[in-house]
């Protein structure tokens, strides 16, 4: 007996019966026929293909940007190393020559923005030049980045212009900047010396190896990548199914003329392939169009040069090949549940109820995979990112399989209500699959964001380092790299007269040793020396009385061993060495006798949280100009009620000593790598949420196109357009609300599992509220944006049919 399957392109299989199965030629021919239908399907066909290409293109463009992130990070690292001096990390001293220069950090902050910069003073006629600089700036001249030039020329940069105070003579080129929006400058100096805080270099381009990333950060980065990219891939899979209802009716016509079911599925896959290929091309064009504008976009204080945004070839090839292949696979899988007959499609009737058991397998498998990873904490040496990524992907993708079942189960029992509500519910009851697919991206994004926020909050404390500083006593600290009592007094006087300053404490700090030789196996007794006025010293220790010319020995509370070491060095009535040439041989350069009247006093924490032990002396007791290895410090308390008080302080510091280092007093300091990861999360989250909003809008418009004739008929029979608008809102809101509930449950579950993996506690169970609010905002925006097309599609012209 011979069994023949109708349709073209079959091959004979030997055996007792002959069964015709599709060959490679059949696949190519049927895919090509589907491409022809998509390309020559008239206005309707091109509209459907355009929607698919636009939807896929948006996701592909974001994937291309994501594939460019590794290159952009490498380029930023290379730029950072290129402008680092050769001696910056090695610490090797450089002899002065015609090819060296002296430099010093000159960076500052302005209204929360970091402004980097350096002072330069060439030693000869052929100094090394930083990247992006063709000629070193002369004294009182300055080279600036384009962004800094623009800021200084604006009214908002007046205070910063006063602080820098140099004449702009040129612009730093792109090779010398980390990103197009970086605020950076090089200023010339004729007074900078090594003795006054400068450093000498013979060149630029340090290639120091980057520090390895901590295991907790690896977990966070992997989770960020999954949370940002899984919604994109789901959206692309949804976009290739635009126009499914019209496609099914067209495939029914093919069945009527003799095509078998497999042929129609391959033809449908060809249509999806054509739309996906156009989508890849559209995404590439969108990427190229948006790439030049990337330099002008600054998100969360980060941007990138367009030239640095180059996709990794392997990742770009994976996107270019994977997206069309996924489109074909998604179409074939979707059509397996559809019976296309010559006279219609079974989907037009009430479909079979969805089963739950197999939809629970992916999230359960994901939880099991994550549970088997083990504990990852600060003591972990390394972590394998692949099981973490696989487990998180299984959980998030499992939510997309659960959402259609949940929507069907809930809307199936809804009855009654206002007319818009009944229209929306009836539409969801007849076909909830497309509505669930439309919001699957936002469901995954919200679930991932909840889990990511839980993990980020859990590991947050691990990347906060207590500084011991007390912001209640001081806001700003200033340090000059050399000791000068005269500078300390000028700091006190200058800052005291600065608008917004309430209190100033200025000191000169150095160290002293006990003179004389010691045994080879002993350490030369050493302690610190702090010089300041009586008012200043009272901030550092509990003084019974004080007048100029007094000296004290400060002890730390509960530190007997340290205090004994201090007493070995600082003995009242005996000499100490203020400027030791060599600690090893005990030779001295300047001996000073600690007054016999020096009293021992308990130390107290200074405004930046330090306890100062050793010798405390007033200017009348020690001439600070003789201290060769000292530094000058000042701590300042500002008035919060004075606007720009910190900027006034920075301007004063720049006038007193341009090389002075200024920093804000903080109780805790955040790890720099963790801060950069957080910024990356905010940037990626913003882009993903924008894509989700765009995808929902495209899906909404596609669904309106599918039902425009029905809506036109309803309007023609007297249905108000506002009723249709409310029904569209409810059709979107119901799946999103259910998706948000599912995302909350899934996100909290994933977050708890991940927190157990990193051995961190979690207490804020209301973390999902902001993300639920973001989902509601997306619904509102998409509905408002879909109203103009709705009004246009419900005109009487919509009743026309071809």
């Amino acid at each position: 007996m011979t069994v023949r399957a109708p349709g073209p392109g079959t091959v004979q299989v030997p055996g007792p019966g002959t069964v015709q199965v599709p060959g490679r030629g059949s696949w190519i021919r049927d895919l090509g026929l589907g491409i022809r239908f998509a390309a020559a399907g008239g206005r309707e066909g091109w509209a459907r293909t355009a929607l698919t290409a636009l939807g896929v293109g948006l996701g592909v463009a974001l994937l291309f940007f994501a594939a460019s992130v590794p290159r952009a990070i490498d380029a930023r690292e290379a730029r950072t190393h290129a402008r680092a001096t050769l001696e910056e990390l090695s610490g090797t001293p450089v002899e002065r020559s015609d090819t060296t220069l002296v430099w010093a950090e000159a960076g500052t902050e302005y209204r929360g923005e970091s402004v980097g910069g350096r002072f330069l003073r060439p030693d000869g006629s052929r100094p090394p030049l930083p990247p992006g600089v063709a000629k070193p700036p002369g004294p009182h001249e300055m080279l600036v980045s384009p962004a800094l030039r623009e800021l200084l020329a604006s009214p908002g940069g007046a205070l910063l212009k006063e602080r820098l105070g140099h004449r702009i003579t040129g612009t730093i080129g792109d090779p010398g900047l980390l990103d197009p929006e970086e605020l950076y400058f090089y200023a010339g100096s004729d007074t900078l010396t090594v003795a006054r805080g400068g450093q000498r270099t013979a060149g630029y381009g340090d290639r120091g190896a980057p520090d390895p990333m901590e295991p907790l950060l690896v977990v966070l980065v992997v989770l960020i990548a999954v949370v940002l990219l899984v919604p994109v891939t789901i959206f692309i899979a949804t976009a290739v199914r635009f126009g499914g209802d019209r496609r099914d009716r067209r495939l029914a016509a093919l069945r009527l003329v003799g095509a078998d079911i497999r042929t129609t599925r391959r033809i449908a896959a060809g249509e999806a392939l054509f739309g996906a290929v156009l989508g890849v091309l559209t995404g590439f064009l969108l990427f190229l169009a948006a790439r030049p504008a990337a330099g002008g976009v600054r998100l969360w204080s980060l941007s990138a040069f367009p030239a640095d945004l180059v996709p990794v070839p392997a990742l770009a090839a994976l996107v270019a090949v994977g997206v069309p292949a996924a489109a074909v696979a998604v179409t074939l899988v979707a059509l397996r549940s559809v019976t296309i007959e010559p006279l219609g499609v079974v989907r037009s009737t009430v479909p079979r109820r969805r089963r739950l058991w197999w939809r629970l397998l992916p999230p359960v498998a994901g939880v099991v995979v994550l549970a088997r990873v083990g504990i990852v904490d600060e003591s972990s040496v390394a972590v394998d990112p692949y099981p973490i990524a696989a487990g998180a992907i299984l959980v998030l993708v499992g939510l997309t399989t659960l959402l259609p079942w949940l929507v069907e189960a809930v809307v199936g029992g809804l009855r009654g209500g206002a007319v818009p509500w009944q229209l929306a519910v009836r539409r969801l009851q007849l076909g909830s699959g497309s509505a669930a697919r439309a919001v699957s991206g936002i469901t995954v994004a919200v679930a991932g964001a909840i889990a990511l926020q839980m993990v980020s909050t859990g590991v947050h404390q691990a990347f906060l380092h207590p500084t011991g500083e007390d912001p209640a006593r001081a806001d700003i600290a200033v340090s000059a790299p050399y000791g000068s009592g005269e500078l300390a007094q000028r700091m006190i006087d200058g800052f005291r007269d600065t608008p917004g300053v309430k209190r100033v404490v200025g000191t000169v700090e150095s160290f002293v040793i006990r003179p004389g030789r010691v045994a080879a196996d002993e350490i030369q007794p050493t302690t610190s020396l702090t010089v300041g006025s009586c008012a200043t010293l009272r901030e550092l220790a509990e003084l019974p009385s004080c007048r100029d010319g007094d000296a004290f020995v400060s002890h730390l509370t509960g530190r007997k061993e340290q205090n004994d070491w201090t007493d070995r060095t600082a003995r009242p009535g005996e000499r100490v060495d203020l400027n030791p040439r060599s600690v090893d041989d005990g030779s001295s350069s300047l001996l000073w006798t600690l007054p016999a009247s020096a009293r021992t006093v308990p130390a107290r924490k200074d405004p930046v949280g330090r306890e100062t032990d050793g010798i405390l002396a007033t200017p009348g007791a020690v001439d600070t100009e003789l201290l060769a290895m000292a530094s000058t410090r000042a701590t300042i308390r500002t008035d919060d009620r004075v606007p720009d008080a910190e900027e006034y302080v920075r301007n004063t510091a720049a006038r007193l000593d341009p090389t002075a280092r200024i920093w804000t007093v903080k109780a805790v300091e955040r790890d720099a790598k963790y801060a950069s990861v957080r910024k990356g999360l905010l940037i990626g989250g913003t882009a993903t949420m924008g894509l989700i909003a765009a995808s929902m809008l495209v899906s909404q418009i596609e669904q309106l196109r599918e039902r425009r004739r029905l809506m036109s008929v309803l309007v023609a029979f007297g249905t108000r357009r506002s009723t249709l608008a409310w029904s569209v809102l409810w059709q979107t809101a119901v799946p999103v609300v259910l998706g948000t509930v599912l995302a909350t449950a899934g996100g909290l579950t994933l977050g708890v599992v991940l927190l157990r993996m990193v051995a961190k506690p979690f207490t804020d169970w209301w973390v999902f509220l902001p993300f639920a609010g973001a989902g509601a905002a997306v619904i509102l925006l998409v509905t408002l944006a879909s109203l103009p097309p709705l009004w246009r599609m419900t005109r009487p012209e919509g009743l026309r049919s071809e």
Side-chain angles (χ1 to χ4, degrees):
M1 179 179 179
T2 302
V3 179
R4 296 182 179 274
T10 57
V11 295
Q12 294 287 336
V13 179
T18 303
V19 180
Q20 294 185 333
V21 297
R24 183 180 302 173
S26 300
W27 271 94
I28 296 175
R29 183 164 50 254
D30 293 340
L31 289 175
L33 186 59
I35 293 173
R36 287 179 58 188
F37 283 152
R43 184 170 56 187
E44 287 291 334
W46 270 107
R48 181 178 60 257
T49 303
L51 279 175
T52 302
L54 177 60
V56 174
L58 290 172
V60 167
L62 190 57
L63 289 179
F64 277 140
F65 276 109
S68 304
V69 169
R71 286 283 184 88
I73 293 175
D74 291 343
R76 190 179 183 90
E77 287 291 327
R79 294 173 185 273
T80 301
H81 291 311
R83 75 180 186 191
T85 63
L86 296 175
E87 299 75 26
E88 201 166 347
L89 295 179
S90 65
T92 306
V94 178
E95 296 295 330
R96 178 173 179 172
S97 70
D98 194 47
T99 59
T100 60
L101 62 77
V102 179
W103 65 274
E105 291 289 352
T108 183
E109 287 188 12
Y110 185 69
R111 293 176 177 171
E113 287 285 341
S114 176
V115 181
R118 287 186 173 184
F119 288 110
L120 305 178
R121 185 184 184 187
D123 288 325
S125 59
R126 295 180 295 125
L129 297 177
V133 175
K135 179 182 177 182
H140 309 295
E141 295 180 346
M142 182 170 59
L143 306 177
V144 298
S145 65
L148 182 56
R149 179 190 289 270
E150 183 179 349
L151 176 60
L152 294 176
S154 66
L159 285 175
L160 181 60
K161 186 175 183 179
E162 175 187 342
R163 182 183 314 166
L164 300 182
H166 299 280
R167 182 169 58 90
I168 298 177
T169 59
T171 303
I172 303 173
D174 290 351
L177 301 175
L178 300 185
D179 60 66
E181 298 298 315
E182 184 183 18
L183 305 175
Y184 204 84
F185 68 91
Y186 290 106
S189 173
D190 55 359
T191 60
L192 182 64
T193 62
V194 174
R196 290 282 175 167
Q199 301 181 54
R200 181 169 283 113
T201 184
Y204 290 87
D206 195 304
R207 294 290 178 181
D211 296 330
M213 187 171 288
E214 298 181 33
L216 288 179
L217 277 183
V218 172
V219 174
L220 200 58
V221 170
V222 170
L223 189 58
I224 288 173
V226 170
V227 169
L228 297 183
L229 295 182
V230 168
V232 177
T233 56
I234 290 176
F235 164 57
I236 292 176
T238 302
V240 299
R241 299 182 65 178
F242 286 164
D245 294 340
R246 290 183 178 273
R247 178 200 60 199
D248 294 345
R249 290 195 292 271
R250 190 170 57 259
L251 295 180
L254 290 175
R255 291 280 285 125
L256 188 61
V257 297
D260 64 359
I261 294 178
R262 292 182 178 180
T263 300
T264 56
R265 290 175 181 172
R266 293 194 294 271
I267 291 174
E271 293 188 50
L273 176 63
F274 180 72
V277 171
L278 282 185
V280 171
L281 295 177
T282 302
F284 182 67
L285 294 177
L286 290 175
F287 170 75
L288 293 180
R291 186 167 168 260
V297 177
R298 191 171 182 83
L299 292 175
W300 313 107
S301 302
L302 288 177
S303 64
F305 284 102
D308 296 339
L309 293 175
V310 179
V312 176
L315 296 178
L318 180 62
V319 172
V321 175
V323 169
V328 172
V330 168
T331 302
L332 293 176
V333 171
L335 289 178
R336 290 178 65 88
S337 60
V338 180
T339 303
I340 302 174
E341 297 296 342
L343 297 179
V345 182
V346 174
R347 184 182 288 165
S348 299
T349 64
V350 178
R352 185 179 58 183
R353 293 186 62 84
R354 293 178 169 88
R355 297 180 180 179
L356 176 62
W357 66 269
W358 69 266
R359 301 174 188 272
L360 295 173
L361 296 180
V364 171
V367 171
V368 172
V369 170
L370 291 174
R372 294 179 61 85
V373 171
I375 300 298
V376 179
D377 55 15
E378 293 87 346
S379 61
S380 302
V381 178
V383 58
D384 187 2
Y386 297 105
I388 300 174
I393 291 173
L394 284 173
V395 173
L396 295 179
V397 172
L399 296 180
T400 65
T401 63
L402 282 170
L403 183 59
W405 175 88
L406 180 62
V407 173
E408 181 184 77
V410 172
V411 301
L414 296 178
R415 298 289 185 274
V419 174
W421 174 259
Q422 292 188 49
L423 289 175
V425 168
R426 185 55 180 161
R427 177 60 190 175
L428 291 174
Q429 289 173 343
L430 289 176
S432 61
S434 59
R437 288 195 303 269
V439 301
S440 58
I442 197 170
T443 300
V444 171
V446 170
I450 292 172
L452 190 57
Q453 182 64 25
M454 292 174 66
V455 175
S456 177
T457 303
V459 303
H460 183 72
Q461 294 297 327
F463 297 98
L464 293 181
H465 310 297
T467 63
E469 299 175 349
D470 186 3
R473 297 177 63 192
D475 302 311
I476 304 171
V478 183
S479 174
Y482 58 93
S484 170
E486 184 269 338
L487 175 60
Q489 191 58 47
R490 283 196 295 119
M491 280 186 174
I492 293 174
D493 297 338
F495 289 131
R496 183 181 292 137
D497 297 336
T498 300
V501 172
K502 298 170 62 176
R503 185 178 61 187
V504 185
V505 175
T507 61
V508 176
E509 300 177 5
S510 184
F511 73 95
V512 299
I513 67 171
R514 181 180 177 181
R517 295 184 178 274
V518 297
D521 58 344
E522 293 184 4
I523 301 175
Q524 194 84 27
T526 308
T527 192
S528 64
L529 170 65
T530 304
V531 183
S533 64
C534 286
T536 296
L537 297 184
R538 287 192 177 94
E539 293 286 338
L540 308 179
E542 299 177 6
L543 306 183
S545 63
C546 179
R547 63 180 179 178
D548 194 24
D550 287 348
F552 307 89
V553 178
S554 175
H555 278 186
L556 303 178
T557 304
R559 302 281 295 277
K560 183 178 184 304
E561 184 177 350
Q562 179 69 24
N563 295 334
D564 291 343
W565 181 259
T566 299
D567 291 338
R568 286 188 59 189
T569 309
R571 296 176 178 177
E574 296 187 8
R575 294 184 300 177
V576 294
D577 188 355
L578 297 179
N579 289 336
R581 287 197 183 96
S582 173
V583 175
D584 296 330
D585 59 14
S587 61
S588 62
S589 59
L590 180 62
L591 296 180
W592 173 72
T593 301
L594 179 64
S597 60
R599 289 163 288 180
T600 300
V601 294
R604 60 176 299 201
K605 287 187 177 181
D606 65 7
V608 295
R610 301 185 310 164
E611 283 187 326
T612 304
D613 63 341
I615 299 174
L616 306 180
T618 56
V622 178
D623 184 0
T624 57
E625 299 299 324
L626 301 177
L627 303 176
M629 304 182 68
S631 62
T632 307
R633 293 172 58 94
T635 55
I636 302 158
R637 177 64 178 168
T638 60
D639 189 347
D640 297 336
R641 296 171 297 180
V642 178
D644 288 329
E646 182 175 342
E647 307 307 327
Y648 290 124
V649 170
R650 293 181 181 275
N651 285 4
T652 300
R655 289 195 302 268
L656 294 173
D657 185 354
T659 64
R661 175 174 170 260
I662 309 170
W663 69 95
T664 303
V665 175
K666 300 177 181 177
V668 293
E669 187 174 7
R670 180 180 293 178
D671 183 87
K673 287 187 177 181
Y674 176 75
S676 65
V677 169
R678 291 277 296 179
K679 285 185 177 181
L681 168 62
L682 294 172
I683 294 173
T686 302
T688 302
M689 191 58 68
L691 174 67
I692 290 172
S695 70
M696 291 187 66
L697 179 60
V698 173
S699 177
Q700 187 83 307
I701 294 175
E702 185 269 340
Q703 292 183 40
L704 292 177
R705 286 184 63 256
E706 293 285 343
R707 302 193 298 273
R708 63 181 179 181
R709 188 182 306 167
L710 173 61
M711 291 187 296
S712 297
V713 171
L714 290 175
V715 172
F717 277 94
T719 305
R720 291 182 296 181
R721 291 183 177 181
S722 61
T723 300
L724 295 179
W726 277 106
S727 70
V728 170
L729 174 62
W730 292 125
Q731 287 177 47
T732 308
V734 170
V736 169
V737 169
L738 296 177
T740 303
V741 173
L742 181 63
T744 301
L748 291 176
T749 302
L750 178 59
V752 169
V753 173
L754 290 171
L755 283 175
R756 288 185 178 178
M757 184 179 69
V758 298
K760 298 296 179 184
F762 182 73
T763 56
D764 185 10
W765 292 99
W766 299 102
V767 68
F768 65 90
L769 289 179
F771 305 104
V778 169
I779 298 171
L780 182 61
L781 290 175
V782 169
T783 303
L784 292 177
S786 64
L787 289 181
L790 172 65
W791 254 248
R792 187 171 59 255
M793 293 177 188
T794 53
R795 293 172 181 172
E797 290 82 356
L799 294 172
R800 293 179 179 176
S801 177
E802 296 181 6

